[in-house]
Amino acid sequence: MEWTGARYADKPTLEVRTWIDAPPERVWALVCDITLMPGLSDELQSVEWLDGAAAPAVGARFLGRSRHEAFGEWETTSHIVEYEPGLVLAWAVEDPANPSAIWRFRLEPKDGGTELSEWMQLGPGRSGLSVAIDRMPEREQKIVFVRLREFERAIASTLEKIKERAEA
């Protein structure tokens, strides 16, 4: 990832893509099973559907518990904001109208397999990163850059693990 100088209010984004030698249906089954995600992530520790939901649908909510060496432990409620079976799954963290982050998986049939991308946006709503920025406003751009780099590595690892499972 190259330095962008982005600030949190800029709602910086990143996206990582991979090609998977498996049909979209197999990849989709992995992507939309959010209970698998803690096993694919070093930071996300657990997830559980809320309000009786058992699968993604626009408006469904889930609770995620996370842990990070620098930020400690926390939990967030995410809201499914985009759901097109077999194509797109996206969720907003905390307030859907002013999320602390948005995450999106997108699938596309390609070359006899599936292109899978994971995209994310920081902000504009407050998050744990906001607390660090409040403490060191002069380092905001560096804080944002470092966190985006962490997310980029984590997303690449998640996609690789999904690829391994889908191709097995």
Side-chain angles (χ1 to χ4, degrees):
M1 163 169 261
E2 291 184 29
W3 173 262
T4 64
R7 296 185 180 281
Y8 194 80
D10 297 332
K11 300 186 288 188
T13 65
L14 69 90
E15 183 174 31
V16 179
R17 297 174 177 271
T18 191
W19 183 82
I20 300 174
D21 188 12
E25 301 78 28
R26 186 175 313 154
V27 176
W28 181 252
L30 296 169
V31 166
C32 71
D33 183 356
I34 66 162
T35 63
L36 290 178
M37 294 305 146
L40 307 177
S41 169
D42 292 332
E43 193 167 303
L44 183 62
Q45 301 299 300
S46 68
V47 295
E48 63 185 80
W49 288 107
L50 299 173
D51 310 319
V58 171
R61 301 180 325 133
F62 62 90
L63 181 71
R65 292 180 184 86
S66 300
R67 182 175 57 226
H68 185 280
E69 185 177 303
F71 300 117
E73 295 183 7
W74 69 96
E75 60 182 44
T76 57
T77 299
S78 292
H79 306 257
I80 305 293
V81 293
E82 190 176 359
Y83 179 70
E84 295 179 50
L87 299 172
V88 179
L89 173 63
W91 61 96
V93 181
E94 294 302 339
D95 179 358
N98 191 37
S100 60
I102 301 172
W103 294 83
R104 179 181 298 119
F105 283 110
R106 186 175 303 275
L107 286 74
E108 181 180 333
K110 186 173 185 180
D111 301 328
T114 306
E115 183 174 79
L116 175 63
S117 68
E118 187 173 0
W119 173 93
M120 69 86 52
Q121 170 189 296
L122 283 177
R126 290 187 59 80
S127 70
L129 204 57
S130 303
V131 175
I133 292 166
D134 290 347
R135 287 188 197 140
M136 299 175 283
E138 72 284 358
R139 299 193 63 198
E140 177 178 5
Q141 292 168 300
K142 172 90 178 194
I143 291 167
V144 168
F145 178 72
V146 168
R147 189 62 169 142
L148 285 173
R149 262 196 343 215
E150 286 179 345
F151 281 139
E152 184 178 46
R153 284 191 300 271
I155 290 170
S157 175
T158 296
L159 293 181
E160 183 58 33
K161 291 172 184 172
I162 290 171
K163 177 180 175 78
E164 289 169 4
R165 288 179 184 218
E167 292 179 348

